[in-house]
Amino acid sequence: MEKWRFIVTEGMSPAMNMAVDEAILQLHSEGKVPPTVRFYTWNPATLSIGYFQKAAKEINLELVQEKGIGFVRRATGGRAVLHDQELTYSVVVSESHPEMPSSVTEAYKVISLGLLHGFQNLGLDAEMVSLASDEEKEKYSSPGSSACFDSPSWYELVVEGKKVAGSAQTRQKGVILQHGSILLDMDVELLFSLLHFSSDRLKERMMESFRKKAVTINEVSNRPVSLQEAMEAFRDGFATGLKVELVKGELTPEERALAEELAASRYSTDEWNLRR
C-alpha cells in the first residue's frame, strides 16, 4: 500500500496556516516532500475568505478586529468560513497521481471520500450527494450570503439532509491542494455578525436559511465528540478513502522556512488580504 505523510500542526496564525498549505504544495511540486494529509487548528479563531471575495464589501473588518478574530484570504475559492470549533484538513497531491482523476470535480470527490469515511467512523449517517441537477443545487444552496456553508460544492457531504463539511480546491504547479472545515460546533450568530448585509431583515433571513442547510458534528451526534476523537476518525477516514497508509510525520525545516517567508510576504499583508 502506498504511504503518504500525515501531519498534525499546532494551532497557528491565519497567515501561517495558509502559508504552510502553500509551502507543502510548492515543495511537493519540486519532488521534495511526499503527498500529504495535514490536520490543523487556528490561533486565534479566524475568518478566512475565498480568493475571489471582495473583503471590504462583504466583511465587517472593524468588527473582526474588535473581537480579536484573525483574518486571511485563502488561495482557494469559496466563501467566508469562521475557523473556530473545528478540525481543518488539507490534502496535497500531484495532479498526475494515478489515483487522481484529471477532472477537478472527480478529484474533489475522491479526496472527499476521506471525509465521508471520517463522519461514518463517528457513527454519523453521512452520505455524499452529487449536485448534478438544478433541484439538488437549489436544495443545498443559498445565494446572497457570503458564508461558505451556504454555498454548494460539486459533491456535498450531508448528514440528515444538511451540509457537514465545507471544502475548496486549487491547482498550481501540477499539484492539487484541497482544504476544508470539519465543524464540531459553530457560533452562527458570530459568523453572520462579521458579514455585511444590506439590511437586518436580510441577515436574519440568511441566518435562518443557513441553519436549515448546515449542521455541525455535535448537533447530529448522540454524544459529544472531542477534537482528538475527530482527528482519529478522520485520519482513518482519509486512509480508507484514499486507499493509502498515513505515516505520521513533521514539516521539514525547508517547509517551515518557506511558510514563514510566505506568511510574511503574502498572507499577513493587506495587499493580499484586502486586494479586492
Side-chain angles (χ1 to χ4, degrees):
M1 189 178 277
E2 187 185 357
K3 293 181 177 177
W4 287 25
R5 181 176 58 163
F6 174 68
I7 295 177
V8 178
T9 49
E10 68 278 11
M12 289 181 174
S13 70
M16 270 301 281
N17 266 334
M18 294 300 87
V20 167
D21 276 355
E22 186 175 337
I24 297 171
L25 180 153
Q26 188 167 318
L27 293 175
H28 183 57
S29 78
E30 295 168 14
K32 293 178 176 176
V33 297
T36 299
V37 175
R38 172 183 169 232
F39 286 174
Y40 54 103
T41 53
W42 303 71
N43 186 20
T46 294
L47 188 76
S48 78
I49 60 170
Y51 182 77
F52 299 103
Q53 282 191 278
K54 295 179 169 63
K57 184 182 173 190
E58 296 184 44
I59 309 299
N60 185 337
L61 294 165
E62 283 178 20
L63 192 60
V64 169
Q65 197 167 10
E66 192 182 300
K67 289 188 177 286
I69 291 167
F71 179 74
V72 70
R73 182 183 295 278
R74 303 186 302 271
T76 52
R79 302 186 192 176
V81 183
L82 180 61
H83 304 282
D84 187 7
Q85 302 162 81
E86 70 169 43
L87 172 62
T88 314
Y89 80 90
S90 65
V91 175
V92 174
V93 60
S94 169
E95 287 184 273
S96 61
H97 188 282
E99 295 299 317
M100 282 297 130
S102 56
S103 146
V104 172
T105 310
E106 293 307 309
Y108 182 94
K109 180 184 179 184
V110 168
I111 294 170
S112 297
L113 277 173
L115 295 172
L116 180 67
H117 287 294
F119 285 115
Q120 290 171 345
N121 287 344
L122 290 172
L124 301 180
D125 186 14
E127 57 182 328
M128 194 181 287
V129 179
S130 163
L131 297 182
S133 72
D134 289 340
E135 185 187 347
E136 283 167 331
K137 284 195 184 91
E138 175 61 29
K139 187 175 169 187
Y140 296 105
S141 80
S142 174
S145 163
S146 300
C148 172
F149 281 73
D150 248 355
S151 162
S153 330
W154 306 293
Y155 286 95
E156 210 62 275
L157 284 160
V158 299
V159 172
E160 296 177 8
K162 293 185 178 183
K163 184 171 177 178
V164 289
S167 300
Q169 193 186 108
T170 184
R171 292 175 177 229
Q172 299 171 24
K173 302 176 179 164
V175 173
I176 298 166
L177 162 63
Q178 182 172 312
H179 54 197
S181 297
I182 301 163
L183 297 179
L184 292 167
D185 293 288
M186 187 183 201
D187 188 336
V188 176
E189 297 214 354
L190 176 59
L191 168 62
F192 276 75
S193 75
L194 303 174
L195 308 177
H196 280 314
F197 293 93
S198 56
S199 70
D200 284 345
R201 192 168 156 222
L202 177 64
K203 176 181 163 185
E204 288 301 321
R205 207 169 78 226
M206 289 293 158
M207 208 152 55
E208 192 183 329
S209 166
F210 182 93
R211 284 192 168 111
K212 284 179 185 166
K213 289 172 179 172
V215 75
T216 67
I217 287 173
N218 280 321
E219 284 177 289
V220 287
S221 173
N222 56 16
R223 58 188 172 73
V225 174
S226 68
L227 180 65
Q228 188 57 42
E229 186 182 354
M231 281 187 182
E232 289 164 12
F234 284 96
R235 177 193 167 138
D236 291 347
F238 276 111
T240 304
L242 294 166
K243 301 183 181 118
V244 297
E245 182 186 340
L246 290 178
V247 180
K248 189 79 194 285
E250 303 286 338
L251 291 171
T252 65
E254 189 176 1
E255 282 172 311
R256 282 206 178 260
L258 178 56
E260 280 163 15
E261 184 189 312
L262 287 165
S265 64
R266 178 174 305 163
Y267 293 105
S268 62
T269 67
D270 285 351
E271 186 185 359
W272 169 263
N273 289 319
L274 308 179
R275 64 187 298 177
R276 295 173 192 279

